Structures are given as C-alpha cells and as structure tokens.
Amino acid sequence: TQTVSQSDAHVTVFEGDSVELRCNYSYGGSIYLSWYIQHHGHGLQFLLKYYSGNPVVQGVNGFEAEFSKSDSSFHLRKASVHWSDSAVYFCAVRMSNYNVLYFGSGTKLTVEP
Amino acid sequence: GGIITQTPKFLIGQEGQKLTLKCQQNFNHDTMYWYRQDSGKGLRLIYYSITENDLQKGDLSEGYDASREKKSSFSLTVTSAQKNEMAVFLCASRRDWGEDEQYFGPGTRLTVL
C-alpha cells in the first residue's frame, strides 16, 4: 500500500513571503505525483503534475514543485504568495497503469496581509 | 469548458436512512469518482466507474452503493446513514486513461441526525 504524507497540517505566512508545502510518499514503483488546491467550500482544482523528466514542474499561478527520488518527496513552492493563495493543498500519488489517486491529508495555507 | 454538478448541496438525513447523492458532468469524460472528505482529512475513494454501467470499489465502499446508468451521471447511495459518516462527498471526473487531472464538483455536505 502506498502512502502520501503531508507533515504540516497548517502553514501561516505573510503576503509576499515564499512558501514550501511538503509532501512525502512511500512507493518504490513508477508513479505520477500531483498537487491540488481546495478553496473553502469548493471542490479540488488541479495545480500540476510530475511523471518524468525535469524534476521541477511548473503549475498555474506561479506554483512549482520539485520531485526528489532520493527523499521520496514532491514539495510545492511559491516564491511570493498572495492572500488568494489561502486554501488547502493536497498532494496525490498514482501508480502507473492504475486508475486511482491517493491523497495526502492536506495542508491548510493561510496568507496574512 | 465543462462543469460538474452535485445535488443536493446539503443533505440531512436520519440515522439508518437510505440517502442518494447525484453527480452530473458535461465534459464527456469516461471515468468518474466518488470521494469522502472528513473534516481536516484527505480524500478517500468510495467508488469509481470507467464507463457507463461499470463500477469499481474503492477503499471505503462498505456501506455505499453506486450507479452509473449514463456516461454523464454517477450516483452514490448511502445504504444506512450513520452519524460517523457525516462528511463532504466529492464527485470527480477524468478525461482519459492515464490522465492525472481530475475535475471536481463542489461537494455535498451530509449531516446525519
């Protein structure tokens, strides 16, 4: 069974700060990694994904994530956050040739003015 | 563009009652999903369907039934509502096999009295 771990349940930063949201996974095979964002009262929206190639992938709204095989990680970063980035962020893992995403427990990002 | 519609937005039922949640998508996507999101936790897969009349159980299928009578719709039935399953139920769809981007509906919040 694969697991997805988001160690920080809550992260609070100020507008303009940089932020890193952490995601670690446990699975040794070929996998796809993705990040989703959930604003309060809404469903999830896809941000970005990684399968192979350049370990740094770019997403929407200035987000990027970096894959590290040695650390089993796929951390999400943004150089300068805006108040509208306040939301819950979910990391997800999918085994190749498999139809199901496994989600982490989420990190709630609060951006203060 | 497309949209996923979930009805009702709020569902209140009595303990032991059979309750049905509905999901419609106009993306013409083949695969649809039902997830349960408990407060402060990640998403857990209840059922998914890769095509009309197909059903696949997820990790949390016990106590639920699902129905995919049309490509555009996917229903979830709580067979006997329990207080410990008060949560938000999210429906999602995905364009192609191997595609990681899932499109989510806004959710149905279930309250059990």
Side-chain angles (χ1 to χ4, degrees):
Chain A
T1 303
Q2 59 183 324
T3 62
V4 186
S5 172
Q6 293 182 248
S7 53
D8 299 315
H10 300 274
V11 171
T12 301
V13 295
F14 290 99
E15 200 162 21
D17 285 351
S18 63
V19 70
E20 179 178 85
L21 306 181
R22 293 184 293 193
C23 173
N24 291 87
Y25 62 90
S26 63
Y27 184 70
S30 182
I31 58 171
Y32 294 78
L33 295 151
S34 52
W35 278 95
Y36 284 77
I37 180 174
Q38 184 181 35
H39 286 104
H40 183 69
H42 294 268
L44 279 68
Q45 285 179 280
F46 175 81
L47 274 180
L48 48 75
K49 71 175 180 185
Y50 171 81
Y51 175 61
S52 64
N54 188 339
V56 179
V57 292
Q58 306 294 326
V60 297
N61 295 334
F63 285 97
E64 67 175 31
E66 183 166 5
F67 168 71
S68 170
K69 187 171 183 178
S70 59
D71 293 340
S72 297
S73 68
F74 188 55
H75 301 329
L76 182 70
R77 302 189 295 240
K78 187 168 182 178
S80 177
V81 294
H82 186 263
W83 64 266
S84 62
D85 294 323
S86 295
V88 181
Y89 292 79
F90 291 95
C91 181
V93 171
R94 179 173 71 85
M95 292 183 284
S96 61
N97 296 322
Y98 197 51
N99 216 3
V100 172
L101 286 180
Y102 291 91
F103 288 87
S105 54
T107 296
K108 183 176 182 179
L109 175 65
T110 301
V111 181
E112 298 202 342
Chain B
I3 192 168
I4 294 186
T5 305
Q6 291 188 239
T7 54
K9 190 170 175 65
F10 299 96
L11 181 57
I12 301 173
Q14 300 289 330
E15 203 162 20
Q17 191 177 358
K18 184 175 178 180
L19 301 166
T20 298
L21 294 71
K22 294 186 183 295
C23 176
Q24 296 268 346
Q25 53 99 358
N26 64 359
F27 290 103
N28 199 35
H29 288 169
D30 287 314
T31 306
M32 296 184 74
Y33 301 83
W34 274 108
Y35 294 94
R36 190 174 109 185
Q37 184 177 25
D38 292 273
S39 180
K41 296 185 180 177
L43 281 67
R44 288 185 286 174
L45 182 66
I46 306 172
Y47 268 98
Y48 71 101
S49 166
I50 62 173
T51 190
E52 193 175 316
N53 294 319
D54 174 75
L55 290 175
Q56 307 285 338
K57 291 184 178 181
D59 290 342
L60 204 63
S61 62
E62 190 165 335
Y64 301 95
D65 286 328
S67 173
R68 183 94 182 272
E69 293 171 354
K70 292 191 300 184
K71 185 175 182 178
S72 62
S73 66
F74 193 29
S75 299
L76 180 73
T77 298
V78 183
T79 55
S80 177
Q82 304 298 316
K83 286 187 188 294
N84 63 4
E85 63 190 336
M86 291 201 294
V88 174
F89 291 80
L90 292 169
C91 176
S93 70
R94 192 191 68 184
R95 185 175 55 195
D96 291 317
W97 179 270
E99 188 71 40
D100 283 276
E101 183 172 356
Q102 293 186 15
Y103 296 79
F104 282 80
T108 292
R109 181 174 290 278
L110 173 65
T111 300
V112 181
L113 303 176

XYZ file of all heavy atoms in Angstrom, chain A residues 32-34 36 38 41-46 49 88 90 94 97-106, chain B residues 9 31 33 35 37 40-43 45 48 50 59 90 94 97-106:
427
model
N 2.996 8.658 -10.629
C 2.685 10.022 -11.014
C 2.388 10.804 -9.728
O 1.726 10.288 -8.838
C 1.446 10.069 -11.904
C 1.612 9.424 -13.255
C 1.576 8.052 -13.396
C 1.778 10.212 -14.387
C 1.713 7.457 -14.632
C 1.917 9.624 -15.643
C 1.888 8.246 -15.754
O 2.029 7.661 -16.981
N 2.855 12.024 -9.656
C 2.628 12.879 -8.495
C 1.924 14.145 -8.935
O 2.227 14.687 -10.005
C 3.964 13.237 -7.838
C 4.715 12.048 -7.237
C 6.211 12.288 -7.271
C 4.241 11.800 -5.819
N 1.005 14.593 -8.126
C 0.295 15.823 -8.473
C -0.073 16.603 -7.216
O -0.010 16.080 -6.100
C -0.963 15.514 -9.299
O -1.771 14.541 -8.671
N -3.102 19.438 -5.784
C -4.411 20.047 -5.986
C -4.623 21.115 -4.925
O -4.057 21.042 -3.829
C -5.530 19.003 -5.839
C -5.689 18.082 -7.011
C -4.813 17.021 -7.218
C -6.731 18.260 -7.918
C -4.960 16.170 -8.298
C -6.901 17.413 -8.997
C -6.012 16.373 -9.181
O -6.170 15.534 -10.260
N -7.725 23.372 -2.827
C -9.148 23.420 -2.493
C -9.446 24.701 -1.718
O -9.036 24.843 -0.562
C -9.568 22.207 -1.671
C -11.071 22.173 -1.382
C -11.485 20.970 -0.547
O -10.739 20.526 0.328
N -12.676 20.438 -0.808
N -15.140 25.615 0.706
C -16.474 25.422 0.147
C -16.503 24.971 -1.300
O -17.582 24.903 -1.905
N -15.340 24.658 -1.842
C -15.275 24.246 -3.243
C -14.640 22.874 -3.381
O -14.064 22.330 -2.435
C -14.463 25.264 -4.049
C -15.120 26.600 -4.135
N -15.972 26.960 -5.155
C -15.066 27.670 -3.302
C -16.399 28.190 -4.961
N -15.872 28.648 -3.838
N -14.734 22.340 -4.601
C -14.028 21.100 -4.890
C -12.554 21.371 -5.140
O -12.091 22.504 -5.052
N -11.809 20.310 -5.435
C -10.377 20.458 -5.671
C -10.105 20.901 -7.108
O -10.861 20.562 -8.031
C -9.672 19.120 -5.429
C -9.361 18.738 -3.989
C -10.612 18.447 -3.185
C -8.420 17.543 -3.960
N -9.009 21.642 -7.272
C -8.576 22.033 -8.610
C -7.142 21.588 -8.808
O -6.297 21.772 -7.929
C -8.629 23.552 -8.769
C -10.020 24.124 -8.930
C -9.942 25.630 -9.061
O -9.814 26.340 -8.066
N -10.006 26.118 -10.277
N -6.870 21.050 -9.977
C -5.542 20.564 -10.315
C -4.553 21.730 -10.432
O -4.864 22.763 -11.036
C -5.650 19.814 -11.635
C -4.354 19.330 -12.206
C -3.780 18.171 -11.732
C -3.730 20.020 -13.228
C -2.598 17.697 -12.268
C -2.555 19.569 -13.771
C -1.982 18.400 -13.297
N 1.580 18.434 -12.154
C 1.888 17.012 -12.003
C 3.314 16.743 -12.475
O 3.908 17.524 -13.223
C 0.915 16.160 -12.807
C 1.106 16.253 -14.312
C 0.199 15.289 -15.032
C 0.403 15.392 -16.540
N -0.550 14.534 -17.271
N -6.564 24.953 1.080
C -5.979 23.675 1.490
C -5.341 23.039 0.254
O -5.949 23.018 -0.822
C -7.027 22.725 2.096
C -6.376 21.417 2.539
C -7.734 23.388 3.276
N -3.503 19.691 -1.465
C -3.406 18.243 -1.358
C -2.383 17.699 -2.344
O -2.396 18.056 -3.531
C -4.761 17.583 -1.672
C -5.815 17.827 -0.636
C -6.720 18.867 -0.787
C -5.911 17.016 0.484
C -7.705 19.097 0.172
C -6.891 17.239 1.439
C -7.781 18.279 1.284
N -0.297 8.508 -7.874
C -0.958 7.450 -8.650
C 0.110 6.522 -9.195
O 1.107 6.976 -9.736
C -1.755 8.033 -9.816
C -2.437 6.977 -10.674
C -3.347 7.620 -11.722
N -2.607 8.296 -12.765
C -2.118 7.718 -13.861
N -2.266 6.424 -14.050
N -1.481 8.427 -14.768
N -0.287 2.837 -14.723
C -1.206 1.774 -15.142
C -2.285 1.497 -14.108
O -2.857 0.407 -14.084
C -0.463 0.469 -15.445
C 0.478 0.654 -16.613
O 0.163 1.349 -17.573
N 1.645 0.071 -16.509
N -2.561 2.467 -13.274
C -3.594 2.312 -12.265
C -4.447 3.555 -12.282
O -3.963 4.654 -12.555
C -2.930 2.070 -10.915
C -3.835 1.502 -9.854
C -4.606 0.369 -10.090
C -3.899 2.080 -8.604
C -5.428 -0.144 -9.109
C -4.708 1.573 -7.614
C -5.479 0.459 -7.872
O -6.289 -0.053 -6.903
N -5.702 3.379 -11.953
C -6.689 4.413 -12.237
C -7.025 5.299 -11.046
O -7.911 6.134 -11.127
C -7.957 3.694 -12.701
C -8.692 4.450 -13.771
O -8.257 5.496 -14.224
N -9.825 3.910 -14.180
N -6.332 5.112 -9.927
C -6.760 5.707 -8.668
C -5.693 6.630 -8.102
O -4.509 6.309 -8.103
C -7.081 4.588 -7.644
C -7.332 5.171 -6.273
C -8.273 3.777 -8.115
N -6.140 7.796 -7.613
C -5.262 8.717 -6.895
C -5.351 8.466 -5.394
O -6.444 8.249 -4.867
C -5.686 10.163 -7.156
C -5.389 10.789 -8.513
C -5.899 12.227 -8.537
C -3.916 10.748 -8.827
N -4.214 8.536 -4.717
C -4.174 8.506 -3.262
C -3.767 9.895 -2.790
O -2.721 10.402 -3.199
C -3.185 7.454 -2.761
C -3.658 6.052 -3.026
C -3.313 5.396 -4.191
C -4.478 5.380 -2.113
C -3.758 4.108 -4.446
C -4.923 4.096 -2.362
C -4.563 3.465 -3.536
O -5.013 2.204 -3.796
N -4.607 10.471 -1.929
C -4.384 11.831 -1.482
C -3.761 11.874 -0.093
O -4.059 11.037 0.757
C -5.709 12.595 -1.425
C -6.269 12.938 -2.783
C -7.080 12.048 -3.466
C -5.977 14.160 -3.374
C -7.593 12.359 -4.717
C -6.491 14.484 -4.620
C -7.292 13.579 -5.292
N -2.924 12.887 0.128
C -2.476 13.182 1.480
C -3.584 13.859 2.259
O -4.662 14.137 1.723
N -3.316 14.152 3.516
C -4.339 14.711 4.403
C -4.523 16.214 4.241
O -5.422 16.799 4.822
C -3.995 14.402 5.862
O -2.692 14.846 6.145
N -3.649 16.826 3.441
C -3.829 18.242 3.148
C -3.046 19.150 4.073
O -2.795 18.838 5.236
N -26.715 20.176 -2.464
C -25.513 20.781 -1.876
C -25.411 20.397 -0.393
O -24.338 20.164 0.129
C -25.565 22.298 -2.030
C -24.270 22.994 -1.675
C -24.322 24.456 -2.075
C -23.087 25.207 -1.619
N -21.863 24.739 -2.274
N -14.304 8.448 -17.063
C -14.142 7.967 -15.692
C -14.691 8.959 -14.687
O -14.447 10.159 -14.795
C -12.650 7.708 -15.386
O -12.122 6.834 -16.379
C -12.481 7.054 -14.025
N -15.628 9.498 -10.290
C -15.218 9.070 -8.955
C -16.144 9.642 -7.908
O -16.667 10.754 -8.061
C -13.806 9.586 -8.637
C -12.731 9.146 -9.585
C -12.518 9.828 -10.778
C -11.909 8.070 -9.282
C -11.510 9.438 -11.646
C -10.895 7.669 -10.149
C -10.712 8.361 -11.329
O -9.716 7.972 -12.189
N -15.622 10.474 -3.754
C -14.715 10.532 -2.611
C -15.481 11.013 -1.388
O -16.426 11.788 -1.500
C -13.588 11.539 -2.848
C -12.623 11.201 -3.941
C -12.809 11.704 -5.230
C -11.498 10.428 -3.692
C -11.893 11.433 -6.235
C -10.582 10.148 -4.692
C -10.792 10.652 -5.967
O -9.887 10.377 -6.954
N -14.697 13.186 2.073
C -13.731 14.060 2.727
C -14.210 14.350 4.133
O -15.148 15.119 4.334
C -13.539 15.358 1.934
C -12.469 16.249 2.537
C -12.214 17.502 1.735
O -13.079 17.978 1.002
N -11.015 18.044 1.848
N -10.896 18.028 8.002
C -9.470 18.082 8.299
C -8.669 16.908 7.772
O -7.508 16.730 8.134
N -9.284 16.125 6.906
C -8.582 14.955 6.397
C -8.557 14.974 4.869
O -9.178 15.807 4.227
C -9.250 13.687 6.895
C -9.178 13.522 8.408
C -9.739 12.197 8.851
C -9.652 12.079 10.361
N -10.267 10.814 10.826
N -7.818 14.040 4.342
C -7.732 13.911 2.894
C -8.956 13.242 2.318
O -9.945 12.993 3.015
N -8.878 12.945 1.031
C -9.987 12.313 0.339
C -9.794 10.805 0.323
O -8.687 10.318 0.090
C -10.043 12.812 -1.108
C -10.670 14.174 -1.352
C -9.827 15.285 -0.758
C -10.852 14.390 -2.845
N -11.372 7.283 -1.468
C -12.168 6.836 -2.606
C -13.224 5.838 -2.165
O -12.931 4.846 -1.486
C -11.238 6.197 -3.643
C -11.897 5.726 -4.924
C -12.447 6.916 -5.722
C -10.881 4.950 -5.760
N -15.484 4.170 -8.079
C -15.251 4.839 -9.337
C -15.804 3.989 -10.472
O -16.135 2.812 -10.283
C -13.781 5.210 -9.542
C -12.823 4.079 -9.796
C -12.383 3.784 -11.081
C -12.288 3.356 -8.732
C -11.466 2.775 -11.310
C -11.383 2.342 -8.943
C -10.961 2.062 -10.229
O -10.052 1.055 -10.452
N -15.304 3.461 -14.849
C -14.518 3.832 -16.021
C -15.371 3.982 -17.274
O -14.896 4.460 -18.301
C -13.357 2.846 -16.267
C -13.887 1.436 -16.540
C -12.402 2.845 -15.087
C -12.773 0.466 -16.949
N -11.438 2.064 -1.442
C -11.100 1.589 -0.101
C -12.249 1.743 0.895
O -12.273 1.075 1.931
C -9.882 2.355 0.433
C -8.616 1.980 -0.319
O -8.603 0.929 -0.982
O -7.641 2.751 -0.259
N -17.392 14.280 -2.462
C -16.948 14.950 -3.678
C -17.003 13.996 -4.863
O -16.548 12.862 -4.776
C -15.509 15.445 -3.510
C -15.305 16.577 -2.503
C -13.826 16.779 -2.231
C -15.929 17.864 -2.980
N -12.556 12.356 -14.976
C -11.243 12.435 -15.574
C -11.363 12.156 -17.056
O -12.136 11.300 -17.478
C -10.328 11.415 -14.923
C -8.873 11.574 -15.247
C -8.107 10.386 -14.772
N -8.475 9.222 -15.549
C -8.009 8.011 -15.293
N -7.200 7.815 -14.302
N -8.361 6.991 -16.024
N -7.748 7.674 -19.775
C -6.940 6.704 -19.036
C -5.521 7.241 -18.917
O -4.954 7.702 -19.875
C -6.921 5.378 -19.802
C -6.087 4.356 -19.120
C -4.753 4.126 -19.307
C -6.516 3.437 -18.123
N -4.337 3.104 -18.496
C -5.381 2.662 -17.764
C -7.734 3.178 -17.516
C -5.451 1.664 -16.799
C -7.799 2.165 -16.566
C -6.664 1.425 -16.215
N -4.973 7.203 -17.703
C -3.609 7.677 -17.502
C -3.512 9.164 -17.256
O -2.450 9.672 -16.923
N -4.584 9.872 -17.423
C -4.598 11.312 -17.158
C -4.723 11.539 -15.654
O -5.517 10.885 -14.985
C -5.806 11.925 -17.885
C -5.871 13.415 -17.869
C -4.815 14.065 -18.748
O -4.551 13.551 -19.845
O -4.248 15.070 -18.307
N -3.922 12.437 -15.137
C -3.975 12.669 -13.692
C -4.912 13.784 -13.277
O -5.310 13.844 -12.130
C -2.570 12.972 -13.169
C -1.759 11.723 -13.049
O -1.891 11.049 -12.018
O -1.023 11.426 -13.995
N -5.230 14.662 -14.184
C -6.053 15.785 -13.797
C -7.498 15.335 -13.646
O -8.118 14.873 -14.611
C -5.960 16.899 -14.833
C -6.750 18.127 -14.436
C -6.508 19.293 -15.365
O -5.668 19.173 -16.273
O -7.170 20.335 -15.169
N -8.005 15.454 -12.432
C -9.403 15.187 -12.161
C -10.117 16.515 -11.953
O -9.557 17.449 -11.381
C -9.562 14.292 -10.931
C -9.034 12.886 -11.148
C -9.326 11.948 -9.993
O -10.143 12.220 -9.129
N -8.646 10.814 -9.978
N -11.356 16.556 -12.410
C -12.185 17.747 -12.271
C -13.231 17.446 -11.212
O -13.938 16.451 -11.301
C -12.854 18.084 -13.607
C -11.875 18.443 -14.691
C -11.164 17.465 -15.374
C -11.644 19.773 -15.030
C -10.262 17.795 -16.362
C -10.749 20.111 -16.027
C -10.056 19.109 -16.682
O -9.158 19.440 -17.659
N -13.307 18.326 -10.222
C -14.155 18.057 -9.075
C -15.403 18.925 -9.058
O -15.386 20.087 -9.484
C -13.381 18.328 -7.782
C -12.418 17.236 -7.414
C -11.180 17.149 -8.031
C -12.755 16.291 -6.457
C -10.293 16.142 -7.699
C -11.872 15.280 -6.115
C -10.641 15.208 -6.741
N -16.470 18.350 -8.500
C -17.655 19.122 -8.200
C -17.492 19.837 -6.875
O -16.500 19.637 -6.166
N -18.476 20.682 -6.499
C -18.378 21.477 -5.279
C -18.664 20.692 -4.007
O -18.400 21.171 -2.910
C -19.414 22.573 -5.485
C -20.419 21.941 -6.385
C -19.665 21.031 -7.281
